[in-house]
Amino acid sequence: MIEHTSRQVPKEQIAHQLDCMEQVSRHNALLPEKPLFFCQTFGCQQNEADTERIAGMLAEMGYVRTEDAQEANVIVVNTCAVREHAEKRVFGIMGQYTHIKDTRSDVIICMCGCMVQQEHITEKIKKSYPRVDIVFGTHMLWHFPELLLQRLNGSKRIFAISGDPKGEIAEGLPVQRGAGCHAWLSIMYGCNNFCTYCIVPYVRGRERSRKPEDIEAELRCLVAEGYKDITLLGQNVNSYGKDLGISMDFSDLLARLDAVEGEYRLRFMTSHPKDASEKLFATMAKGKHISHQLHLPFQSGSDAILKRMNRGYTKESYLALIAKAKEYMPDLVLSSDIIVGFPGETEEDFQGTLDVVRQGQYDVLYTFLYSKRSGTPAASMPDSATQEEKQDRFNRLLKTQEGINQQRQDAYQDRELSVLIDGLSNSKDGVYTHCGRTDGGLLVLVRGEDLHIGDFVDVVIEKTSLRALYGSVLGKGYHG
């Protein structure tokens, strides 16, 4: 078992980064105007959380955020390696940003995240994107102040993608979260599962859990700052605590966090079916703040494909798991991920996937055509299906889920729900002025008087559509 202390960045190294921030801040204080920074994020919620750390460090160094890359002094693009489409988008946008240097040569352009953790990507950046100044991988994120200071002091292009391949945990660095009522809270990093299609373990390192007291302290700060919808993050939250050497699993952590007083909701992602348990469902069911929402990816309804994916469960065990979850929480909002066209998938395999979709009765499905990732075992697996066959299966999957989705949405007609108002609506009729989320994360467009972002309100559903519910406010409320 890995000792937790081996994964914790020593305090003196964090102190060095804080000192680098101070040096950059003094440099920026001498400028005639406050310098600006721009961040763009691709990929998952963990990438969003990482960008919040980068933004926090930049703010501490005297930079002010802008939403216009053209006026920024520092541009940071946080990348995703999960799908080929994301990589193409990143390189497309980097081509645009590097042209900013045609008129403003002092702009510092940075690329970071999962995509650049791959050696073949950094080689491409070196050869094809000479105007990118700093490239740092996921293991080097906490070194960002030091890297930026080096560049400001005249260092040549910086490529920092080494770090500890097992990954580390850096506590005590600043964070800048966005306005609103939603917040991300990372409880662990990395992944040990090595699904054969997935690049994440190779670019984010091994699983390492934050100390429960650090997580609880951050939650208390978030609640005190007024965040109302807080999502716990991990590649596989159900593996939490295995590396800590203490008798605390994810269910125990969830119960500990649920005991924090305040008006807020607590949700989490992502759960892996091989590690989800009845204990977890029981904890969710009796929790005061824990949302009855579960994202439980099954990826394929074929045991043969699941084995080839190295997922560690069967179709039968997965269906039994979600049945148990719904037994504890009849109002559960269930979502999942599906990959269509995995190497070797047959029509019979695909029919198994459709069967899980019909039995699972999901509220939300995230569906993907298989994307080959260099360096993963699946990339070299033989595949006989044509792209046309895969696209046809994908279209049939969407059609099947659309019918289920409409039925599940229609079932909310005339029901009363607790909704957290989290934004203004773009409803064309001008009647439903605000939007919000139910306890289970469903989108609701809301009409009513004196509504404010961050309000919990009781709503009666007046009409439904495939993508949203429409409701009228009955009154203020919180049902934590």
Side-chain angles (χ1 to χ4, degrees):
M1 178 177 291
I2 300 172
E3 288 296 328
H4 183 76
T5 52
S6 69
R7 302 271 59 83
Q8 193 93 18
V9 176
K11 291 182 179 180
E12 57 269 24
Q13 294 187 29
I14 296 297
H16 174 62
Q17 297 306 316
L18 294 175
D19 179 64
C20 290
M21 289 184 217
E22 176 61 27
Q23 292 184 57
V24 176
S25 179
R26 290 199 298 266
H27 168 276
N28 287 337
L30 300 175
L31 299 176
E33 295 180 348
K34 283 188 175 293
L36 306 177
F37 76 91
F38 171 84
C39 288
Q40 184 168 5
T41 309
F42 293 84
C44 68
Q45 292 85 354
Q46 188 59 64
N47 275 19
E48 295 282 356
D50 287 347
T51 296
E52 291 178 343
R53 261 81 188 158
I54 294 169
M57 289 185 273
L58 284 164
E60 191 74 15
M61 290 185 279
Y63 292 90
V64 177
R65 191 164 198 155
T66 177
E67 297 305 317
D68 185 358
Q70 296 294 328
E71 64 180 16
N73 301 88
V74 175
I75 296 172
V76 181
V77 179
N78 192 356
T79 65
C80 173
V82 172
R83 295 181 58 76
E84 183 180 21
H85 178 65
E87 289 189 1
K88 290 181 177 179
R89 285 186 62 204
V90 167
F91 281 126
I93 205 74
M94 291 309 301
Q96 298 176 37
Y97 292 157
T98 55
H99 283 304
I100 295 175
K101 286 199 172 190
D102 290 338
T103 55
R104 296 171 55 228
S105 60
D106 61 335
V107 174
I108 296 177
I109 299 177
C110 312
M111 291 181 69
C112 64
C114 297
M115 182 173 147
V116 304
Q117 192 66 43
Q118 303 168 96
E119 188 174 348
H120 70 280
I121 294 294
T122 56
E123 288 301 314
K124 181 174 181 177
I125 296 169
K126 287 178 182 178
K127 295 176 181 178
S128 303
Y129 296 84
R131 294 181 175 183
V132 174
D133 299 279
I134 303 174
V135 177
F136 58 101
T138 55
H139 305 320
M140 298 293 287
L141 185 147
W142 62 274
H143 288 268
F144 179 53
E146 179 181 3
L147 303 178
L148 182 58
L149 178 61
Q150 290 174 8
R151 185 59 174 166
L152 288 171
N153 286 339
S155 174
K156 295 182 179 181
R157 302 177 73 197
I158 299 170
F159 287 82
I161 61 167
S162 55
D164 189 332
K166 294 179 180 178
E168 296 172 298
I169 296 176
E171 300 284 1
L173 294 173
V175 57
Q176 184 184 80
R177 293 183 168 87
C181 51
H182 296 278
W184 312 115
L185 174 50
S186 297
I187 66 168
M188 61 186 300
Y189 306 94
C191 184
N192 290 354
N193 289 312
F194 289 94
C195 300
T196 58
Y197 54 80
C198 186
I199 197 69
V200 169
Y202 305 95
V203 297
R204 283 202 170 269
R206 302 292 75 74
E207 289 176 354
R208 62 264 187 211
S209 306
R210 295 179 66 194
K211 294 178 181 177
E213 57 268 30
D214 290 336
I215 299 170
E216 181 183 335
E218 187 170 350
L219 174 64
R220 289 185 180 278
C221 287
L222 291 172
V223 173
E225 291 168 8
Y227 289 98
K228 301 293 183 71
D229 193 295
I230 300 165
T231 303
L232 308 179
L233 294 180
Q235 300 301 142
N236 175 17
V237 293
N238 297 327
S239 291
Y240 176 82
K242 291 182 178 179
D243 60 314
L244 291 180
I246 60 175
S247 57
M248 175 174 285
D249 61 15
F250 178 58
S251 300
D252 299 326
L253 175 69
L254 202 55
R256 173 172 174 163
L257 299 179
D258 182 55
V260 172
E261 292 297 324
E263 187 177 281
Y264 66 95
R265 287 177 179 154
L266 203 58
R267 60 184 88 242
F268 57 87
M269 63 188 317
T270 296
S271 283
H272 196 297
K274 73 178 179 62
D275 298 313
S277 66
E278 184 173 353
K279 179 183 177 182
L280 170 61
F281 305 148
T283 301
M284 293 173 66
K286 66 184 180 183
K288 178 181 178 182
H289 301 98
I290 306 168
S291 294
H292 290 183
Q293 177 186 10
L294 181 64
H295 184 68
L296 198 65
F298 72 87
Q299 306 296 9
S300 173
S302 161
D303 287 351
I305 295 296
L306 290 172
K307 185 175 182 180
R308 207 171 300 157
M309 289 179 167
N310 191 36
R311 291 292 288 172
Y313 55 86
T314 64
K315 173 185 176 182
E316 181 181 6
S317 66
Y318 177 87
L319 289 172
L321 196 63
I322 60 175
K324 182 62 68 174
K326 290 182 178 181
E327 181 181 320
Y328 275 93
M329 297 168 285
D331 61 341
L332 181 70
V333 172
L334 183 64
S335 60
S336 191
D337 295 343
I338 299 175
I339 295 174
V340 175
F342 186 80
E345 181 188 72
T346 65
E347 177 62 25
E348 182 180 0
D349 294 325
F350 176 68
Q351 286 299 324
T353 296
L354 289 182
D355 185 49
V356 174
V357 170
R358 295 187 184 105
Q359 291 195 56
Q361 291 291 297
Y362 298 91
D363 296 273
V364 180
L365 277 185
Y366 300 95
T367 55
F368 307 94
L369 277 169
Y370 170 72
S371 178
K372 183 183 293 188
R373 300 285 78 199
S374 177
T376 63
S380 59
M381 291 182 180
D383 189 13
S384 58
T386 66
Q387 196 61 35
E388 290 74 17
E389 288 173 323
K390 294 176 182 180
Q391 187 63 55
D392 175 66
R393 291 171 188 167
F394 188 77
N395 293 341
R396 282 185 281 153
L397 172 62
L398 293 182
K399 186 174 181 179
T400 299
Q401 176 57 24
E402 187 173 295
I404 294 170
N405 191 202
Q406 188 64 70
Q407 290 178 4
R408 294 194 64 79
Q409 291 284 95
D410 289 346
Y412 287 98
Q413 182 69 40
D414 299 325
R415 285 182 57 183
E416 294 182 12
L417 302 173
S418 175
V419 173
L420 172 62
I421 302 297
D422 62 5
L424 299 177
S425 167
N426 58 2
S427 177
K428 295 179 181 179
D429 59 16
V431 174
Y432 297 91
T433 57
H434 289 71
C435 59
R437 296 283 173 174
T438 68
D439 174 74
L442 298 176
L443 175 64
V444 184
L445 303 187
V446 178
R447 66 181 181 94
E449 300 293 330
D450 194 30
L451 297 176
H452 303 93
I453 293 173
D455 285 347
F456 281 101
V457 293
D458 293 330
V459 170
V460 61
I461 302 303
E462 300 176 320
K463 62 178 182 176
T464 68
S465 72
L466 191 62
R467 304 301 176 200
L469 305 172
Y470 297 78
S472 174
V473 172
L474 298 172
K476 305 288 185 180
Y478 173 68
H479 307 283

